[in-house]
Amino acid sequence: MTIHSLRWRLLLVTVLVSVVAVAAVVLMSSRAASTEFRKFIDTSEEIDLSRFQEILSEHYRQNGGWAGAQTALERMGKISGKRLLLLDNERKIIAAFPDHLSKADIDISADNTLRVRSEVEEAEGNKAVSVRQEEMVVVNAPHIEVKNSTGAVVASLFIAGPNLESEMRGDQFTGSVNRSLAVVAIIVVIAAFIATVMLSRRILGPVESLTRAARRMEQGDLSERVEVRSGDEIGELAQAFNRMADSLSRNEQLRRDMVGDVAHELRTPLTNIRCQIESLQDGVVQPRREVIDSIHEEAMLLSRLIDDLQELALAEAGQLRLALEPTSIREIIHKTALAVAPQIESKKITLRIDAPQDLPRAIADSERVGQILRNLLANAVTHTPPEGVIEIRARSSNEEIEVTVSDTGSGIEEEQQDRIFERFYRADRSRARSTGGSGLGLAIVKQLVLAHGGRIRVESESGRGSQFIFTLPVWNRQE
């Protein structure tokens, strides 16, 4: 499983989403637990204050003042675990718990923010006593007013915060909640990972089978099929793949049959043409000799085209028969242009040739290269309107000779350019075979160029003409 595979990305996304979701839940749960714990403390403080108010009011009535208040406050502080300050109406300390707060500096703002600064004496074993400065700030400090029997306020009791033991218990509670949430989060992430692995195997297993089958079909095995294991979307995909494979297999067979049919249908009339021409050559008819020779030459080329159609299926395997030799592309261009001149002149099309005299020779089959040019010129003549221009250019570049056949015709739609070299494909489906051909010309051109070790491409814009560019290898004299 590579890092770019769908299974890896599915696992990565699932784990990432799980981690983010669980982290959010843990954070919210931790905050909720802290908030609820704080509410519990606040409620506890309210209950304690109400009880302290009754105790201190009763103490004041029984003693007629605050004598012994320190003992009573220490008892309340030890029981509740709170730090307590009992202040008179002038904000002076009457009693405090712990004891060191009785000497503290106190500042109370208008919003009841309590600031307490005190010195704490600490002794460790036989070492000297050390003094540590302690400062506390309690925002909106909880407090009550202590009243006498007449309802007059005689003191105020402030809670200056829990003692250290209570703080430790609070920290322990929060830590325990967080640890539990962390364990749950780890379990959830592991469970999500395992579930994703199992689900990916169930979902992506059939997809991988489809991929393997598609690759085998790409290599030419059209008999490949996949097993349909379910009725869900994956099963529907497998059925669609099998239907596509059946269609491709049928189309391939139809294509091969069509090649045979074309060869069979054209062989008989071509044989008749040859017989008539040979009769003319024997003197049965007395036409001009050069015309007869030209017709005979074209008939022989058509006969060779029929043989090529029968072998076209072998072209992709590199089994086309080529007589490779040093060849002058410039001469072939001029010879081919002369052969198609009557067709070009009949449509009043201008033919331009740009092939320099110092153009190097190519290692090629001259007759096949002529066939390539004739097919491209025939295609250009068909699509170029009267008064149009067809141009043949040849250039040498990077150990190759590049030949371009351009026209000012109707052009080719962009979506058709990828299919223009397919066998039996015609861009204009409305044209009859008598005028539009069988769609074999460009397919043969492509196979002949590839058989020479060259490349071919088309550049076109609808309404502005087309350019067919092919390359041939330059002849190396050292070979």
Side-chain angles (χ1 to χ4, degrees):
M1 181 175 63
T2 64
I3 192 171
H4 298 292
S5 67
L6 183 59
R7 179 174 294 177
W8 173 265
R9 285 182 286 178
L10 180 61
L11 289 174
L12 185 63
V13 170
T14 301
V15 171
L16 181 61
V17 171
S18 299
V19 169
V20 172
V22 170
V25 172
V26 168
L27 181 61
M28 294 174 63
S29 299
S30 179
R31 289 186 176 180
S34 299
T35 300
E36 292 300 321
F37 185 78
R38 183 69 259 175
K39 289 180 180 179
F40 170 79
I41 295 298
D42 292 341
T43 302
S44 176
E45 289 175 349
E46 291 176 1
I47 295 173
D48 289 340
L49 285 173
S50 177
R51 186 169 66 251
F52 294 163
Q53 186 179 39
E54 294 177 359
I55 295 173
L56 291 174
S57 296
E58 181 65 24
H59 178 88
Y60 186 86
R61 287 194 296 270
Q62 290 180 357
N63 294 278
W66 292 115
Q70 180 64 33
T71 303
L73 201 65
E74 287 180 357
R75 187 166 55 250
M76 290 187 293
K78 290 178 180 179
I79 294 173
S80 64
K82 303 287 192 307
R83 296 182 180 185
L84 304 175
L85 286 173
L86 183 62
L87 309 179
D88 60 17
N89 293 336
E90 295 179 1
R91 301 302 191 186
K92 294 182 179 181
I93 299 175
I94 300 173
F97 178 81
D99 183 68
H100 70 271
L101 293 180
S102 60
K103 298 179 182 180
D105 294 330
I106 299 173
D107 182 24
I108 303 176
S109 62
D111 60 353
N112 289 320
T113 297
L114 178 64
R115 290 179 171 83
V116 181
R117 291 177 293 275
S118 61
E119 296 181 348
V120 181
E121 296 181 352
E122 296 179 341
E124 296 180 3
N126 298 325
K127 295 182 180 180
V129 175
S130 61
V131 178
R132 175 175 58 84
Q133 297 293 329
E134 182 183 82
E135 182 174 359
M136 295 184 300
V137 178
V138 184
V139 179
N140 194 20
H143 66 283
I144 56 168
E145 295 178 343
V146 181
K147 300 179 181 179
N148 58 18
S149 58
T150 63
V153 177
V154 295
S156 297
L157 179 65
F158 282 83
I159 296 180
N163 59 20
L164 293 177
E165 184 179 353
S166 298
E167 289 178 349
M168 291 178 61
R169 287 199 298 268
D171 293 339
Q172 290 173 354
F173 172 80
T174 304
S176 177
V177 171
N178 291 337
R179 285 191 296 272
S180 299
L181 291 173
V183 171
V184 172
I186 294 173
I187 293 174
V188 169
V189 171
I190 293 175
F193 181 84
I194 295 174
T196 303
V197 171
M198 297 176 63
L199 186 62
S200 66
R201 287 181 178 177
R202 179 175 179 82
I203 294 177
L204 299 181
V207 174
E208 293 172 348
S209 298
L210 283 168
T211 302
R212 289 191 294 268
R215 288 173 178 169
R216 286 192 288 269
M217 288 188 64
E218 181 184 11
Q219 297 171 358
D221 185 4
L222 297 181
S223 64
E224 186 65 32
R225 300 295 183 271
V226 295
E227 181 181 358
V228 180
R229 300 178 180 177
S230 62
D232 54 12
E233 290 81 358
I234 299 297
E236 292 177 0
L237 178 60
Q239 292 177 353
F241 178 89
N242 290 337
R243 289 193 295 268
M244 179 192 69
D246 292 337
S247 177
L248 288 174
S249 181
R250 287 194 301 270
N251 290 340
E252 177 64 11
Q253 186 61 45
L254 288 174
R255 182 185 66 82
R256 292 178 179 177
D257 292 342
M258 190 172 184
V259 171
D261 292 342
V262 170
H264 177 74
E265 293 296 329
L266 292 182
R267 186 176 297 279
T268 300
L270 284 174
T271 301
N272 294 333
I273 292 174
R274 289 179 60 187
C275 291
Q276 292 175 4
I277 293 175
E278 289 171 359
S279 297
L280 291 172
Q281 290 175 330
D282 291 337
V284 177
V285 181
Q286 300 298 325
R288 291 182 303 165
R289 186 73 185 184
E290 59 271 18
V291 175
I292 296 176
D293 291 340
S294 178
I295 294 174
H296 183 265
E297 181 181 359
E298 293 299 320
M300 292 301 295
L301 290 173
L302 289 173
S303 180
R304 183 173 179 178
L305 176 60
I306 296 300
D307 294 334
D308 289 344
L309 283 172
Q310 293 177 331
E311 298 177 359
L312 194 56
L314 302 176
E316 295 179 357
Q319 298 181 11
L320 280 177
R321 295 189 298 270
L322 298 176
L324 298 177
E325 60 183 359
T327 303
S328 172
I329 300 300
R330 185 174 184 273
E331 292 180 5
I332 295 176
I333 291 175
H334 284 279
K335 183 178 179 180
T336 305
L338 183 62
V340 300
Q343 303 175 33
I344 294 176
E345 292 174 358
S346 66
K347 291 189 67 174
K348 298 181 180 180
I349 296 173
T350 300
L351 176 62
R352 298 172 181 169
I353 298 176
D354 182 7
Q357 292 185 355
D358 60 349
L359 190 69
R361 291 178 176 268
I363 181 71
D365 185 324
S366 58
E367 291 188 8
R368 296 290 190 176
V369 174
Q371 184 178 349
I372 293 171
L373 287 171
R374 280 193 297 275
N375 284 356
L376 291 178
L377 286 172
N379 182 75
V381 170
T382 300
H383 293 87
T384 302
E387 310 299 334
V389 177
I390 297 176
E391 184 177 8
I392 306 174
R393 297 188 302 274
R395 293 288 184 271
S396 174
S397 174
N398 297 326
E399 301 300 323
E400 289 181 331
I401 295 177
E402 184 178 271
V403 182
T404 302
V405 178
S406 62
D407 61 64
T408 57
S410 57
I412 305 170
E413 297 290 343
E414 184 177 356
E415 60 272 13
Q416 295 178 338
Q417 293 179 20
D418 292 337
R419 300 191 60 193
I420 200 68
F421 294 106
E422 292 181 7
R423 300 172 185 177
F424 311 111
Y425 181 79
R426 287 178 291 171
D428 188 351
R429 296 291 181 180
S430 64
R431 293 163 56 205
R433 178 168 298 177
S434 59
T435 59
S438 63
L440 292 171
L442 293 180
I444 294 174
V445 165
K446 178 180 178 180
Q447 296 302 329
L448 290 176
V449 171
L450 295 178
H452 280 83
R455 295 170 287 108
I456 186 168
R457 69 182 189 277
V458 61
E459 297 177 358
S460 181
E461 185 176 347
S462 181
R464 302 190 66 177
S466 304
Q467 290 189 97
F468 288 85
I469 304 103
F470 68 92
T471 63
L472 296 171
V474 171
W475 174 53
N476 188 344
R477 295 180 182 272
Q478 298 178 353
E479 293 180 353

